[in-house]
Amino acid sequence: MKKIFTALLLAVALVAPALASDTNLELIPKIGYLFSPEVTIDNNGKKESFSSDSAISVGADLFFDMENNFFLGIGLVWGQNHKVDSKSDNKIGFTNLYAAIKYKFLVNGSQDDPCFIYPLAQLGIGLAGWNYSGPISNYEIESGFYWALGVGGEFKNIILELIYGCDYGKQKGDGVKSVDLSYTAFRINVGYKFNL
């Protein structure tokens, strides 16, 4: 809970200056498709990785136009729980709360129909979700740090993004020591920008 509170404070601290100024707001609801997800367990340097099934995600970003096409924002995205390994019934998924930045480059288009591309970065917390049917009792995954990098494009308010992200956590349960866990995936997002 302390990590969640810290992440919320960080997000608010980053966007608060924008709220106090006269800026344009962008609300971008989006749906995503996660491909090539992988879970890696690190037990004192001994790593074991599992390829996971693809999944969908839904979320939204709220961006503030700071000046000269530099945008600062916050976002929330929910990821569907999906199988860690096709041979097991164990599932994992993350909900990410983050602060984000992007910088838009005008590529083509008129004043009425501009086309932009942009690099973006996200930094926040990943809240783990899971379904576990193994032998460990009281199994859980502690939530942890989240980061992502990507590129996006915008044309006529339609958003298309490709993002690579990583969630960190700890896996634990009764009778076993806590071990580090990381979850990586590529994500394709499709969204629509509403100017507020």
Side-chain angles (χ1 to χ4, degrees), residues 40-48 171 178-182:
T40 301
I41 307 295
D42 185 351
N43 190 354
N44 290 330
K46 183 181 177 183
K47 294 185 178 181
E48 187 176 9
Q171 156 179 280
S178 176
V179 297
D180 293 330
L181 175 147
S182 63

Side-chain angles (χ1 to χ4, degrees), residues 150-163:
V151 294
E154 175 188 327
F155 181 67
K156 291 189 175 180
N157 289 21
I158 295 171
I159 303 292
L160 182 64
E161 296 173 337
L162 174 62
I163 297 172

Side-chain angles (χ1 to χ4, degrees), residues 22-95:
D22 184 20
T23 59
N24 295 323
L25 301 178
E26 295 181 353
L27 175 63
I28 307 169
K30 53 191 176 181
I31 186 165
Y33 178 76
L34 283 77
F35 61 97
S36 299
E38 186 173 86
V39 176
T40 301
I41 307 295
D42 185 351
N43 190 354
N44 290 330
K46 183 181 177 183
K47 294 185 178 181
E48 187 176 9
S49 296
F50 304 91
S51 294
S52 303
D53 290 350
S54 297
I56 61 166
S57 65
V58 257
D61 292 330
L62 180 64
F63 277 103
F64 307 91
D65 185 356
M66 301 298 288
E67 192 174 342
N68 299 322
N69 286 339
F70 176 71
F71 288 78
L72 187 62
I74 56 174
L76 177 69
V77 63
W78 167 85
Q80 173 191 28
N81 282 6
H82 54 284
K83 285 188 177 184
V84 172
D85 184 350
S86 58
K87 298 175 184 176
S88 79
D89 292 327
N90 298 330
K91 295 183 178 181
I92 191 170
F94 281 86
T95 297

Side-chain angles (χ1 to χ4, degrees), residues 98-119:
Y98 52 85
I101 58 172
K102 67 180 179 181
Y103 185 83
K104 292 185 182 180
F105 295 93
L106 182 62
V107 177
N108 191 6
S110 65
Q111 188 88 6
D112 296 327
D113 292 318
C115 179
F116 298 97
I117 60 170
Y118 53 87

